[in-house]
Amino acid sequence: MSYPMTQPRLGGQAFNHHQSSGAEAEYDRLRGLARAAHDQRSREQYNKQAADFIFRENNAVGRVDSDTIDLHGLYVPEAEDILEQRIRYAQSTGQTHLHV
């Protein structure tokens, strides 16, 4: 799914912690490629890569507790999709709570 660049982003910034300039540059590069893509499929692929990248960076081992997910930097529809997946996973593994 492609998201317009005017879509609200959770947290107002991509990273919820100090991030290396390399990680920030990679995130910016992927979102820029999505904006510049001329076809819907390419936009969706670049947006998905950017969303996956920012989620992995913000939720790397040691950055958040195992019962917590950080959705900063994601567009709202991206965050909703990830949250639904994470809730299903938590339920299937017997977790009783999840911090978002």
Side-chain angles (χ1 to χ4, degrees), residues 2-3 8-9 13 19 24 29 38 44-46 58 65-66 72 79 82 87 90 95 98-99:
S2 180
Y3 305 106
R9 204 166 65 179
Q13 60 186 16
Q19 192 55 247
E24 192 74 47
R29 182 186 75 81
H38 295 289
E44 289 175 4
Q45 287 176 318
Y46 288 128
N58 283 340
D65 294 331
S66 62
H72 282 86
I82 288 172
I87 288 171
Q95 294 178 354
L98 181 65
H99 299 275

Side-chain angles (χ1 to χ4, degrees), residues 21-76:
S21 61
E24 192 74 47
E26 177 63 6
Y27 173 79
D28 290 342
R29 182 186 75 81
L30 290 167
R31 288 293 190 199
L33 288 170
R35 282 190 292 275
H38 295 289
D39 62 281
Q40 184 70 17
R41 185 174 177 182
S42 294
R43 279 191 297 275
E44 289 175 4
Q45 287 176 318
Y46 288 128
N47 274 326
K48 175 79 171 115
Q49 287 177 1
D52 290 347
F53 177 80
I54 194 69
F55 183 76
R56 279 191 318 271
E57 285 292 313
N58 283 340
N59 291 278
V61 174
R63 290 221 169 109
V64 295
D65 294 331
S66 62
D67 63 348
T68 302
I69 59 172
D70 182 347
L71 300 173
H72 282 86
L74 299 172
Y75 292 110
V76 173

Side-chain angles (χ1 to χ4, degrees), residues 66 83-95 98:
S66 62
L83 181 58
E84 286 176 12
Q85 291 172 15
R86 185 60 177 86
I87 288 171
R88 282 193 297 276
Y89 173 78
Q91 290 172 333
S92 72
T93 60
Q95 294 178 354
L98 181 65

